[in-house]
Amino acid sequence: MSTPAEQLTGQMLDGGWVVGDLIPRTAAQTGGHFSCSYGVTNRDGRKAFLKAMDYTSALKSLDPATELNILTSAFIFERQVLQVCADRKMSRIVRAIGGGKSSVAGSVVEYLIFEEAKGDIRTYLDDAKRFDLVWTLTCIHNICVGVRQLNGASIAHQDLKPSNVLHFSNEGQKLADLGRAWHKSLFSPHDGLACAGDLGYAPPELLYRYVTPDESERRFGADFYLVGSMVLFLFTGMRASQILISELDPHHSPRVWLGTYEEMLPYLSHAFSLNLATVTRSFPDTVLGEEIVDVLQQMCDPNIATRGDRLHRAKYGSRFGLERFVQRFDRLRQAAILGRIHHP
Amino acid sequence: MSAGYHDRDRHIFPRWRSFAATSELGELAQPAVEIKNDTSELDISLAKGIAGWEGSSSLWRGLDLLGTAVVAGRLEEFSALVAEIKSNPLTPKITREFLERTHGDKSVQLQLPGCDAISGQASRHEIRAHRLHLASAPRDPIEWMELARSYTIAGLNDKAAKAVLAALQLAPDNRFVLRSAARFFIHIGEKDIAHGLMSRSRLITHDPWIMASEIAIADSMGKTSRISKIAREKMEADVAPSELTELASALGSVEADGGNHRIARRFLRRALDGANENSIAQIRWLNRSRLNRSDSEDAVDVSRANPPLLHEANAWAAFHKGEFDIARKESLCWLRDQPFASAPAVLNSYIASALFLDFEAGKETALESLRSNPDDPMLVNNLAVCLMEIGDLAAAETYLSRLSVEGRSGVMEATYKATYGMLEFRKGNIEEGRRLYQEAIEKAKNSSDKGTAARAAFHLAFEELVAHTTHVDEAIKRLKEFEGQDDFVERARFFERVNELMRND
């Protein structure tokens, strides 16, 4: 039987939005799902994406009050964070362009409406069928800008991955899904988790269950790593933790290793330096190769204590600021447009 | 000439291999301290990735899914996807290379040291490669230790020491770094430093590998380890036997030294469970030197143990059985495994020259090893003998002049006297040569070292024969004195040489 959140099709919502068809859930979402998605069309012809909260599974859980509290808190947090982004006019964060409540089958369904993208960057890359250096560097630049905008408002994204970087025809790339984010002064039910985002993309300290005492360092250090991981993904199709683990002895993989992160660090540092050497060799253009490897060296250092931009720290007091990377990728993008650098 | 100096005493000091080889041998597989490991979040991440892939399969979604599979440690479940991605012409080349490396049978990737000859050129190449690597990754402690090992092999101990200190600074509490560093300091004769590193380590009360090394180094210095009680408790902990093998060997060695053979045997039998080659070599040595009551039966039976790189144990076992072909090959493999160590080079150069009369090979081995061990008196001795046999007396004399007065005395004094005797013979000072040989024989006999006395007696006979003196019969008659001696396995070979020289006379 459909839940109220699954019965929105055809509804006219505030702001002139008409709800279209339900976007089918994937196999992984059909278990404990907490939201469902629709395409929506405005009276003026604009198309958008609607995310409706679905509390049904929480009500059926063993502890409905707690589960419901978590879901509603998460929704309130996401709405508040999106408001912060809107107030600060963050150009590289997917905007919530509407939201509200709708009554369906005697229940109230809360929703958010987001600007609609053409798809995530994987879709773009599949359609493109060839490597485009200018597009890649532009995309990285946009990701850096997006994370800088969030970090500048004391928000850590925490779940930066290819599926959360959306591609827009006219505006380029924007970061989506702030559901697992962290804000310095807003409460989120995920705040107690060491790794709120997808562990499959997480930096080594989180993969090896190390929690730095300094929360800002932990959150922004992870975002910094994830940006570097996206740089690697866009050039190679691989993420930073993947190539790191590929270089490790199988006994040292996060699934198998039963020791501490501190004990693993020398092995991680060694694997990382071997990775960098391999990545360097894969760039025929040595200028571009040196730039990318330097970026990876700073961003994807498995040691959170040494990760970061030392020059940024000297100037602004934080190792994880992205200002210099925004400038750097803008400069590289210009160089690519002018044909001064090439890849592959 | 002698092979036996390094066989007189043995302690289970840590081996120093490359990081890759040490990892492959499983010596870094288990952590010093265990913590809870919940990997359910990785399974959730992978489930999401699979769902996304099933919803819309494409190259870049496939690449993304493989990334999660690698991180989740479940790549082997995605063979079809790996094949599909590897065959897709749009897949980045570097990704294909990574997949080739990560999605294969790990057992075919073993890179343990082989038995090919060592080369000075190779160690120089290695130094260059490590330095280049460190220029871009100066915070990699493992690479600093690899550089230190290459420097040590090349005999550049000062540079090696700096590299060791850099590694220790970056990773002061890492098992690989600590044990490698300890082995380096033992190599350069700084056992105090090696012991201090182990005993002050934060791992000393947790890590059986560090405990084993601490106990062995303390024992070699005549000290009693302060962690002996904790180490015995560790032996009863719920730890994989392979993690405890060196610790059991170390404790067994201490007990054997103290004459507590029953307790020693108990520890050494524990060490057999999951044993590595170092443990087996230690047990075999203890069998030979401390524990055996008869030649026919070992106190601790190691015949079923066959861990990788069992070259030291095999070399000595073959040598003592008189299987010199095997001993020669195994000693070379042992040298390849521990290229900075002098013991395998001494044994190999001795077997090559004294038993196979391959003086060029003996010279090469000794020369190569002298780079790492410029002051090893037995290497100098063996090299000098090879040079004299080749006819390069001047070079032999130059090398022998390296032996200090203190070096010439001590337990190997008889051997050096014999070598000086040979030098005098070859220089034509027959009387002086004979006198030195006779002194050597008496000296060895007085020290109850009948093996060395027999070797000196045979070499005196060789020299009398080579010099066509009138004392040949007397020298040969004297050999009968050493008949039926168990610790002189070379007798048959030496008699062959005597006969050969007599035929040529």
Side-chain angles (χ1 to χ4, degrees), chain A residues 99-116:
Chain A
K101 309 186 252 295
S102 179
S103 295
V104 184
S107 297
V108 174
V109 176
E110 290 188 288
Y111 61 85
L112 289 165
I113 297 173
F114 296 94
E115 50 186 339
E116 191 184 54

Side-chain angles (χ1 to χ4, degrees), chain A residues 42-313:
Chain A
N42 198 277
R43 275 189 304 240
D44 60 13
R46 278 183 298 151
K47 289 188 179 300
F49 170 84
L50 181 143
K51 177 179 169 183
M53 296 310 294
D54 191 342
Y55 301 137
T56 318
S57 60
L59 291 168
K60 288 178 186 166
S61 72
L62 291 173
D63 187 359
T66 305
E67 288 298 315
L68 209 54
N69 184 35
I70 291 170
L71 288 186
T72 51
S73 303
F75 178 69
I76 292 165
F77 172 77
E78 188 173 358
R79 210 169 53 188
Q80 287 173 324
V81 167
L82 286 164
Q83 191 57 51
V84 173
C85 297
D87 292 346
R88 289 191 167 231
K89 297 185 172 55
M90 293 187 194
S91 57
R92 290 291 151 205
I93 306 300
V94 173
R95 269 177 299 150
I97 53 177
K101 309 186 252 295
S102 179
S103 295
V104 184
S107 297
V108 174
V109 176
E110 290 188 288
Y111 61 85
L112 289 165
I113 297 173
F114 296 94
E115 50 186 339
E116 191 184 54
K118 287 200 78 174
D120 68 50
I121 52 167
R122 297 171 304 175
T123 312
Y124 178 89
L125 288 163
D126 280 321
D127 293 346
K129 293 206 169 12
R130 67 181 186 86
F131 184 84
D132 180 340
L133 182 59
V134 174
W135 182 88
T136 300
L137 292 169
T138 306
C139 180
I140 295 170
H141 176 261
N142 290 340
I143 291 169
C144 289
V145 172
V147 175
R148 185 190 61 174
Q149 288 175 339
L150 288 171
N151 291 178
S154 301
I155 300 166
H157 188 288
Q158 304 199 103
D159 201 18
L160 183 62
K161 56 185 178 181
S163 61
N164 284 340
V165 181
L166 304 187
H167 176 73
F168 294 80
S169 303
N170 299 323
E171 295 179 275
Q173 296 73 36
K174 295 185 182 187
L175 310 185
D177 198 354
L178 295 171
R180 314 297 286 187
W182 174 84
H183 187 283
K184 200 175 177 181
S185 47
L186 294 175
F187 168 76
S188 157
H190 310 304
D191 285 350
L193 301 173
C195 180
D198 190 333
L199 194 61
Y201 296 81
E205 67 271 15
L206 298 179
L207 278 169
Y208 290 95
R209 308 166 290 277
Y210 175 67
V211 180
T212 48
D214 180 339
E215 187 163 39
S216 290
E217 182 186 56
R218 180 163 88 235
R219 312 287 182 185
F220 296 123
D223 266 11
F224 198 74
Y225 179 91
L226 293 173
V227 172
S229 190
M230 285 301 304
V231 172
L232 187 67
F233 182 79
L234 284 159
F235 275 100
T236 68
M238 296 184 289
R239 69 190 70 160
S241 294
Q242 173 188 0
I243 62 167
L244 193 66
I245 290 164
S246 301
E247 202 64 58
L248 292 175
D249 181 282
H251 293 104
H252 294 160
S253 81
R255 179 175 285 280
V256 179
W257 179 248
L258 295 172
T260 62
Y261 166 69
E262 290 95 325
E263 199 177 340
M264 262 304 293
L265 251 182
Y267 309 140
L268 292 170
S269 296
H270 187 54
F272 179 60
S273 67
L274 293 173
N275 280 164
L276 286 181
T278 309
V279 172
T280 306
R281 285 195 295 275
S282 74
F283 278 85
D285 185 326
T286 52
V287 174
L288 179 63
E290 280 173 19
E291 292 271 5
I292 297 301
V293 166
D294 185 50
V295 166
L296 296 176
Q297 203 154 23
Q298 295 179 61
M299 293 190 140
C300 298
D301 188 336
N303 186 350
I304 190 169
T306 49
R307 186 184 306 153
D309 179 351
R310 267 168 291 171
L311 292 177
H312 189 277
R313 182 187 203 166

Side-chain angles (χ1 to χ4, degrees), chain B residues 187-202:
Chain B
H187 174 73
I188 62 167
E190 300 281 3
K191 280 187 187 171
D192 275 332
I193 299 177
H195 184 253
L197 281 176
M198 296 288 122
S199 61
R200 284 195 302 272
S201 162
R202 285 200 302 185

Side-chain angles (χ1 to χ4, degrees), chain B residues 11-30:
Chain B
H11 300 274
I12 187 151
F13 293 144
R15 294 296 200 197
W16 188 8
R17 300 190 171 94
S18 72
F19 175 69
T22 310
S23 288
E24 277 176 25
L25 289 168
E27 292 181 5
L28 308 173
Q30 299 300 320

Side-chain angles (χ1 to χ4, degrees), chain B residues 154-230:
Chain B
L156 303 169
N157 288 344
D158 289 345
K159 289 184 173 181
K162 284 180 185 162
V164 166
L165 292 176
L168 282 169
Q169 196 164 20
L170 289 162
D173 293 307
N174 177 266
R175 181 188 300 159
F176 174 76
V177 171
L178 275 171
R179 279 169 50 94
S180 303
R183 185 63 187 84
F184 167 73
F185 286 114
I186 292 167
H187 174 73
I188 62 167
E190 300 281 3
K191 280 187 187 171
D192 275 332
I193 299 177
H195 184 253
L197 281 176
M198 296 288 122
S199 61
R200 284 195 302 272
S201 162
R202 285 200 302 185
L203 302 181
I204 188 65
T205 52
H206 309 292
D207 191 332
W209 296 92
I210 300 295
M211 289 177 179
S213 302
E214 193 274 342
I215 292 168
I217 300 167
D219 190 30
S220 75
M221 297 163 73
K223 287 183 179 177
T224 305
S225 168
R226 276 184 295 178
I227 55 138
S228 149
K229 186 165 173 249
I230 304 170

